[in-house]
Amino acid sequence: MPDTGSGKKKVLVAPLDWGLGHTTRAIPIIHSLLQRGHRVYLVGNSQQKSLLQAEFPQLTYLPLAGYGIKYGVSAVQTAALLLRQIPQIWAAIQAEKQWLAQMMSVHSFDAVISDNRYGLYHPKAHCTVITHQLRIQAPVAAGLVQRMHFSLLQKFNACWVPDVAGAPGLAGALSHPHRLPAMPLRYVGPLSRFATGQPQPEQSGLLVLLSGPEPQRTLFENILLPQLVNAKMPVTLVRGLPGSQQVLPPVPGVQVFNHLPTKDLQEAMQRASLVVCRSGYSSVMDLAALGKRSIVVPTPGQTEQAYLARHLHQSGFALAQQQQGFDLKKALKKAAHFTYHFPEPGTTDLLAAALDEWEANASSI
């Protein structure tokens, strides 16, 4: 039955499957909902399930196919593939809309919190969409793509932006466009799964975090593996493959994990003196939470990551390097001379304020 005035909601949390970043940044929201006494259901594909059930084994998990985005082996091929997959993305949006209608008849959710899943709205639930990309970095037809994006957002009751309200924030122009969508919108602050205030002694080590759709995850891994042997420091490689039993041949001097749960990954990041990772926004928010020096490498053909890498490099947050011709030895030398600047931590709990507002508005549906 829907909520009848107790204030406790039955909430479906549904992150996008386009890389694991959308899933990991749902973790602090899920924790906050549980702390407030709400009943939380999780949704996603099998890889997302492996990650989330490791964090929340007590929660009900509902299977839902993802968008299944595939990348090419080059930036040009990826851009072409993404354009060709637009009908597939649209079909997935329609399918998840139908799926939610069926689930509402079974579970009667009071609210849905969706991270970039644009079909998960329903008139009988308070539906919130999360996105840091209010401005889409489209390679072609940018104006048309922007209008379509705002049209999709405005089907929801509210939009949460994981950044601070004042430009440039952490995401720059992505989260601070000249024009905002005509809907209730709230900046909820950067969302990281890592808890601050638990410092670990930093050591001289390199942490490499792989992530993102194939084949680019594997391509970058293959570029890095022969170079990690000569890093001249301890190396930890986290492959971004939750649930996988795949084993790499031993790499001298490199400790390899397919996946690390949140607590272990936070400790590994805090111990490392430098992190190499993609410039995906969820990785960026985790780096900001821990104030870690990093080398960020955008996924070829992913325009949002390319923009973020430039923005972060120019602001001094991270050293940006390209995947093509990536030379770890040279990148480490550049990082040693790079002047890093990190944003001051916010003094206001923006997520808590957003959830206070959400609880009041969800009760009115």
Side-chain angles (χ1 to χ4, degrees):
M1 293 293 291
D3 177 67
T4 56
S6 66
K8 306 310 179 187
K9 314 297 179 190
K10 185 185 286 189
V11 189
L12 180 71
V13 178
L16 182 66
D17 70 320
W18 197 327
L20 290 175
H22 296 279
T23 306
T24 60
R25 72 189 192 188
I27 291 173
I29 294 175
I30 297 166
H31 278 303
S32 295
L33 291 169
L34 294 174
Q35 288 166 5
R36 290 168 178 249
H38 301 295
R39 288 183 62 190
V40 179
Y41 290 68
L42 305 177
V43 66
N45 63 20
S46 59
Q47 194 174 47
Q48 292 173 293
K49 179 179 180 180
S50 294
L51 192 156
L52 287 176
Q53 285 201 323
E55 303 288 337
F56 305 102
Q58 79 279 23
L59 298 184
T60 300
Y61 198 93
L62 303 175
L64 174 61
Y67 288 15
I69 299 300
K70 293 182 174 60
Y71 285 2
V73 296
S74 68
V76 172
Q77 189 181 66
T78 293
L81 272 174
L82 289 174
L83 285 173
R84 286 205 295 270
Q85 290 173 95
I86 289 176
Q88 172 186 323
I89 294 171
W90 181 251
I93 291 172
Q94 301 308 307
E96 64 191 11
K97 183 179 177 181
Q98 295 173 6
W99 178 89
L100 180 58
Q102 294 172 354
M103 291 300 103
M104 285 294 294
S105 67
V106 176
H107 296 286
S108 299
F109 295 113
D110 300 297
V112 178
I113 299 177
S114 158
D115 190 324
N116 280 265
R117 300 198 73 145
Y118 293 108
L120 293 182
Y121 58 90
H122 193 277
K124 293 184 179 180
H126 185 278
C127 298
T128 301
V129 62
I130 301 171
T131 183
H132 68 276
Q133 289 193 78
L134 295 176
R135 177 180 173 183
I136 301 295
Q137 299 290 307
V140 295
L144 175 61
V145 171
Q146 190 67 44
R147 289 192 295 274
M148 292 175 61
H149 184 230
F150 277 11
S151 176
L152 290 170
L153 290 178
Q154 288 162 357
K155 297 181 185 296
F156 291 79
N157 298 101
C159 176
W160 287 353
V161 183
D163 202 350
V164 295
L170 194 57
L174 296 180
S175 59
H176 298 88
H178 296 303
R179 184 172 67 89
L180 296 173
M183 64 183 301
L185 184 144
R186 179 180 276 272
Y187 288 85
V188 300
L191 297 174
S192 172
R193 58 184 147 162
F194 297 139
T196 56
Q198 301 175 7
Q200 297 285 332
E202 187 175 280
Q203 302 171 11
S204 177
L206 180 67
L207 174 64
V208 179
L209 302 177
L210 298 178
S211 61
E214 297 290 4
Q216 287 297 334
R217 191 213 64 82
T218 297
L219 288 172
F220 191 35
E221 181 176 78
N222 290 339
I223 290 170
L224 284 167
L225 281 173
Q227 300 186 60
L228 293 178
V229 179
N230 302 313
K232 296 183 179 179
M233 65 175 77
V235 178
T236 300
L237 169 64
V238 182
R239 304 178 68 208
L241 297 173
S244 174
Q245 302 302 314
Q246 186 185 77
V247 178
L248 283 179
V251 183
V254 181
Q255 191 174 22
V256 180
F257 299 94
N258 283 341
H259 173 72
L260 284 177
T262 295
K263 181 178 180 293
D264 295 337
L265 182 58
Q266 176 169 344
E267 291 176 357
M269 286 189 72
Q270 289 177 314
R271 287 194 304 266
S273 57
L274 189 68
V275 178
V276 176
C277 63
R278 293 297 193 190
S279 54
Y281 189 55
S282 297
S283 296
V284 171
M285 291 190 289
D286 287 344
L287 292 169
L290 300 181
K292 297 306 297 183
R293 297 165 61 246
S294 63
I295 300 169
V296 296
V297 182
T299 303
Q302 193 163 337
T303 52
E304 171 227 352
Q305 287 196 15
Y307 167 80
L308 270 175
R310 292 193 303 270
H311 169 66
L312 297 170
H313 186 95
Q314 291 165 3
S315 69
F317 179 90
L319 172 70
Q321 299 286 280
Q322 297 303 309
Q323 179 170 303
Q324 185 174 5
F326 181 81
D327 187 313
L328 179 62
K329 183 178 179 180
K330 290 181 179 178
L332 292 175
K333 186 175 181 179
K334 290 178 182 178
H337 295 91
F338 189 75
T339 303
Y340 285 90
H341 297 286
F342 298 101
E344 291 294 326
T347 57
T348 303
D349 192 336
L350 298 177
L351 179 58
L355 284 168
D356 289 343
E357 181 182 67
W358 170 86
E359 285 174 333
N361 291 335
S363 296
S364 65
I365 295 294

